[in-house]
Every structure is written in C-alpha cells, then in structure tokens.
Amino acid sequence: MAVVDEDGADRYVDLWTGALHYAEAMRRSGVGRGDVVLAQLPNWREFVTLAVAAETAGVVLAFCPVHWGLRETAGALALIRPRLWFTTLATEGEVDRTELVRRALDGVSSPLRAVLIRSREAPAGTTPFHDWLASTERPSVDTAVEGAAGLAPLEIAVTSGSAGEPKSVVHVHDTALAAVDSTIRRQRIVPGDVIHVAVSVCHTFGYFYGVRCALQAGAAMVLQERFRPRRMLELIDAHDITISLGPSAFVLELLRGAATYRRGLTRLRFFTHGGDTLPASVMRRAVEQLPFRISRVFGMTEFGHVTATDETTPLEQCIDSVGSPQAEMELRILDSDGTPLGSGREGRLHARGPFLFAGYLAEDRVDEDVVDDDGFFDTGDLGFIGADGFLRITGRARHVIRRGAETVPVALLENLIAGHPSVQHAVVVGAPDSRFGLGEVPIACAQLHAGASLTLPEIEELLAQHGVTRRFWPVGLRVFDEWPLGPTGKLDRAALLQRVTEPDSARRET
C-alpha cells in the first residue's frame, strides 16, 4: 500500500498510473515543463497523486494551506500565478468556500483554471475534477516520463510571511531530495514503515517528512484530515502505523490523555516533534509518559530539518535540546555584529548546506540573494550550541520582548512557568505597556492540567525562588482552555497576543 486516507487507499501501482493520468491531463490543459500548478487541499490522496504527477511532468508544484482565507489565498495566486489551481469547496468542519473561490478567481489577472476536487458543485469559471480528468485516457503503466531533476525547480511552499504577506519558498529537486533522504537514513525509515500524517500536506513539514519521506523510502502513508487523538489510535490499530509527526499541540493532546491513549500508541516507533518548541519540563513528562521515542527537530520551510535527536541521543539531550546537526548541514551562532560565538553562548542561528532552498519567488524571478558571503542563511532564531554539540533554541528574534532598554528572557520565563505542577504548557507574550509607555510588558499565558488552578502571585513566588529579576516578571496571567493554532497546528502567537490585548475576547482570566 502507498497511501490511505479517510476515503480509500491506493497501492503504488494505482498511485503511479493515477499520476500518469494527472500528468497527461495537465499537458492537455496547456501545462508544460516549468509551469506552476497550485494545490490547496486537505490531507487527501489526490494531493499525493498530484505531487507525483507534477514531478513526472517537470511541472512545479506549489502549495498553501486550505484553511487560508480570501486575503491570503488571493495573495498566493497573485504571487505565483499558477496555470491550474487544485482546490475544494468544502473541508471537514469548515464553512463553504464557494464564495472564497469565486472572489479569488475574480481578482486574478493571469489565465487560471480552477479544478475542484470532491466538490458537488462547480461555480462559473471552475471545472469539476472528474470532468477535467475525463478529457484524457489513462496511460499505460510503462509510459515513458521526462521529469526534471537536479537544480530545476521542484516545489514552491507558500507560507504566511512575518509581514502578513505570502512568502514563496522555492526548492529544487536536489535540495528536497537531500533533506528528506538525510532524515530517512538517520531515523532508519524502511519500506515496512507506515507514516501517519495529520500535519497539513500543504506545508513543508507534512510534505517533506510525511508525503516525500514515505515515497522516497518506499513506505506507506496514512493521511488524517484533522488531528484527533482517538481517531489517530483507530488508524494506528487499522494500519499498523509506526511513525507519526506533528507540532507541540499534537504532543500536548496525546500527553493530556496519556493514561487513556498509552496502550494504543505502543506500536509507534517514533514521533517527530517539530514546528515549534516545548519547555524542557513538558518534554520530560512527554518522554516519561508516552510509549514511543520522540525525535525532536529544528527546521524551517527554507531547509527542512537541520537538527534532530535519534535513537542514539542521550535522554537529557532529547529533553532539553532540539538535537544535533544532520550530517550534511553546518550550523554557527553569531552575535549582533556577525562575530562567531563559541559553545554555550547565545546568538542568532545560521545554517549552511545542501538542504538550503533556491530562494524566494518575487514577481517574475527567484530572489537568490538569501545567504551571506560564506553561504550561511540567517534563520532569525536565537539559540546556542552546547559543548555536547546539541542545539538549544532560546527564542525567536522577532519574539523578543523589550521592556524599556532591557530584553525580557521569554524562553526562561516559559520554561519556569511550565514547570509549575498546575501547568500543562506556558507561553509568554509582550503586550504594549499602556501605563508607562516602556515598550512591552510580559503576560503569562497558561494551559492547565484538568482541575488545576493558578494565580499570578503563585507565578511570582516561583520566579522569586529561581532568582529571576523582578522587572522581568509577568504583569498579568491569562488561562486558556485551548491555544489558538495556525493551519499547521503550531501555536499562533499573533492570535494569542490579540486575545490577550482585546478585553472582549473569549478567555478565562486570572
């Protein structure tokens, strides 16, 4: 078996002949080598077939989250100008997207054909997927293909940039293959493995380390449209799943139900935790209470995973680090003046190696000016590499909270607060200082264990015990039953800050 979703399953021969059929339909639609098609789909088998089809035809596959609204979707279409847009009018638990699709098409200036998958209706200007495919005959399984390779563009990951505008990251065949093959070797992924993918396949995490990892290893994948722990257990039991992956929100959900879920999770060999970080205290509980190995990674859309823990990593490094560098990649830490720093010293993290993307798509060209003179890419993350060679992430440069002339140690506060017995997970955000106008003030946001309570004085007592400067203490506490999450399941800090700063937002406040 190659790929399973909630609607059915495809063997590798089905996947291959289906991909040849899609490729021929693209050719009949006027899509040729080097042209771009956009996939904006849930975790469905059609995405996997489309990805293989594009690769066999030398077509560039672009993708963006299906949960995006009109502004972001229209921005992606305007930026990448695809020849075909594969999407759907409805997803599990989501509102109807008919109006979004119609308005997005109205705003497009270049020729574009929208192909609607698993959609009952087809508004004006769109084509039902089965009608689009029915215009061509299914080729034979031994049909010759002339796909691209090497430095030819393979895929464009369209993400939401920090400035609020879509950012298009271009990978070529060599960079994608190198990044994924490295993980397959290090984590010993074999054809007998079955990979559970509940992370969006229209994001690099799900595409590289779910879809491509399974395909490049000759393994199988089981797609879950939306992460639900109980459904994950059912899928593990039905399909003998051995590997899963996801952000902190997935780990926290499994941890909250560890007593219930533990037995059903024993078949997993490992779970790749990436996309964001968890405090060491929370990770320790996860390692102790969940019955599978957690492979912690650090990665970005621009280069995939550059560090990881594996089966040889000592326990403490699995808990307090995001792993050691992949063999092919090189990391260095620089201070604000660009001077390299030694082990244990915090600075900005830079990466270099064969996983690095080709550049950002900008208008009619790819902006390749993305590395420094030595070939290093500035990740924008803060961290340090210990004497043991393992990377610790201490924050994100843009997440720094400035209180007057001082920098609040966000990662330290989050780690200490998360260590409180009542706390499941903690995040500290910076809200405008309306009282003194001294930049920002830290606000503690916490998700608690069932039946637990927490007050701001308790946090202050905890920080005092650890000798944290009083000026850095949070001035407020907000307790959340659920975190606001982005399309990939990562914590959405911007949405969290908005909830904190808007008095009428839904929250429990202490």
Side-chain angles (χ1 to χ4, degrees):
M1 196 61 64
V3 54
V4 178
D5 68 6
E6 300 286 2
D7 190 58
D10 288 330
R11 300 166 300 166
Y12 266 100
V13 65
D14 302 320
L15 174 60
W16 180 246
T17 57
L20 294 176
H21 197 185
Y22 285 25
E24 177 61 16
M26 283 192 281
R27 188 185 69 79
R28 292 287 185 91
S29 299
V31 179
R33 291 173 65 90
D35 286 337
V36 178
V37 299
L38 173 66
Q40 190 182 28
L41 294 168
N43 285 13
W44 293 346
R45 284 174 296 139
E46 289 90 342
F47 174 88
V48 181
T49 309
L50 182 61
V52 176
E55 195 160 350
T56 64
V59 172
V60 182
L61 176 70
F63 50 78
C64 66
V66 71
H67 304 297
W68 269 7
L70 175 62
R71 181 180 183 276
E72 292 78 16
T73 299
L77 291 172
L79 179 61
I80 65 175
R81 290 183 289 180
R83 297 294 301 276
L84 295 172
W85 174 26
F86 295 91
T87 190
T88 184
L89 295 185
T91 62
E92 181 185 2
E94 295 294 322
V95 298
D96 182 74
R97 301 178 71 246
T98 304
E99 183 66 12
L100 183 152
V101 170
R102 184 188 66 78
R103 293 179 62 186
L105 287 172
D106 286 346
V108 172
S109 58
S110 57
L112 173 64
R113 187 178 184 183
V115 180
L116 301 181
I117 297 177
R118 301 193 193 184
S119 300
R120 295 181 180 179
E121 300 179 359
T126 67
T127 303
F129 174 71
H130 289 294
D131 290 353
W132 174 75
L133 205 57
S135 63
T136 60
E137 294 184 3
R138 182 183 288 263
S140 65
V141 68
D142 57 354
T143 298
V145 298
E146 297 181 359
L151 299 181
L154 169 69
E155 57 93 355
I156 303 173
V158 189
T159 67
S160 52
S162 58
E165 299 299 328
K167 177 179 68 173
S168 296
V169 177
V170 180
H171 274 279
V172 300
H173 288 257
D174 281 352
T175 59
L177 289 169
V180 175
D181 277 344
S182 177
T183 288
I184 290 172
R185 289 191 297 270
R186 183 170 184 178
Q187 304 298 343
R188 301 180 186 275
I189 300 172
V190 298
D193 279 314
V194 181
I195 303 176
H196 168 250
V197 189
V199 177
S200 173
V201 295
C202 287
H203 185 276
T204 297
F205 193 7
Y207 173 67
F208 269 18
Y209 300 101
V211 174
R212 292 201 68 89
C213 216
L215 295 178
Q216 289 179 216
M221 72 188 88
V222 176
L223 306 179
Q224 184 177 356
E225 188 170 340
R226 177 172 294 188
F227 180 74
R228 295 187 182 90
R230 291 187 184 278
R231 181 57 181 153
M232 176 185 177
L233 264 64
E234 293 171 355
L235 294 172
I236 290 173
D237 184 60
H239 302 291
D240 294 324
I241 290 169
T242 57
I243 299 168
S244 188
L245 62 153
S248 296
F250 290 13
V251 176
L252 291 170
E253 283 294 313
L254 294 174
L255 189 56
R256 291 172 72 176
T260 303
Y261 304 147
R262 183 178 177 85
R263 185 173 181 179
L265 294 170
T266 54
R267 295 186 185 182
L268 285 184
R269 285 205 299 120
F270 70 89
F271 181 100
T272 300
H273 168 230
D276 48 14
T277 61
L278 282 171
S281 57
V282 178
M283 185 54 64
R284 185 177 297 278
R285 290 201 299 270
V287 168
E288 293 173 349
Q289 296 179 30
L290 296 173
F292 48 76
R293 176 172 66 84
I294 297 178
S295 172
R296 302 191 69 183
V297 300
F298 171 78
M300 294 180 66
T301 303
E302 284 83 351
F303 46 63
H305 297 162
V306 293
T307 71
T309 60
D310 55 42
E311 58 191 4
T312 69
T313 304
L315 178 61
E316 286 306 310
Q317 278 82 352
C318 290
I319 291 170
D320 72 357
S321 82
V322 290
S324 57
Q326 296 292 112
E328 302 86 349
M329 296 298 287
E330 183 181 356
L331 303 181
R332 70 180 184 183
I333 306 294
L334 304 181
D335 66 13
S336 58
D337 296 324
T339 302
L341 299 174
S343 63
R345 297 186 62 188
E346 182 191 67
R348 290 178 73 106
L349 174 65
H350 291 65
R352 178 173 70 180
F355 305 175
L356 279 182
F357 70 127
Y360 297 109
L361 186 65
E363 297 297 333
D364 295 319
R365 63 186 180 86
V366 174
D367 181 3
E368 300 177 347
D369 187 19
V370 294
V371 297
D372 64 19
D373 293 340
D374 296 323
F376 280 88
F377 175 76
D378 182 355
T379 69
D381 287 275
L382 304 175
F384 65 91
I385 299 173
D388 55 6
F390 285 80
L391 174 66
R392 279 83 175 174
I393 297 296
T394 57
R396 183 81 179 144
R398 66 172 182 263
H399 292 160
V400 167
I401 298 175
R402 295 283 186 183
R403 191 168 191 188
E406 297 182 281
T407 300
V408 176
V410 173
L412 172 64
L413 295 178
E414 291 178 344
N415 275 296
L416 292 177
I417 296 170
H420 190 283
S422 297
V423 177
Q424 175 80 6
H425 187 33
V427 177
V428 175
V429 297
D433 185 355
S434 58
R435 185 178 181 187
F436 297 110
L438 298 176
E440 299 171 306
V441 291
I443 305 293
C445 304
Q447 189 178 52
L448 306 182
H449 295 293
S453 61
L454 184 69
T455 65
L456 186 60
E458 288 179 284
I459 291 179
E460 293 172 343
E461 181 181 356
L462 175 69
L463 298 180
Q465 291 173 355
H466 285 84
V468 177
T469 301
R470 186 179 184 87
R471 183 174 176 77
F472 298 151
W473 293 4
V475 301
L477 169 64
R478 305 289 186 268
V479 176
F480 289 83
D481 294 322
E482 294 183 350
W483 296 119
L485 304 177
T488 61
K490 292 168 57 175
L491 172 69
D492 189 334
R493 284 182 178 262
L496 181 64
L497 178 60
Q498 184 176 14
R499 292 192 188 183
V500 167
T501 55
E502 291 184 356
D504 294 332
S505 60
R507 65 172 187 257
R508 287 195 287 133
E509 183 173 341
T510 304

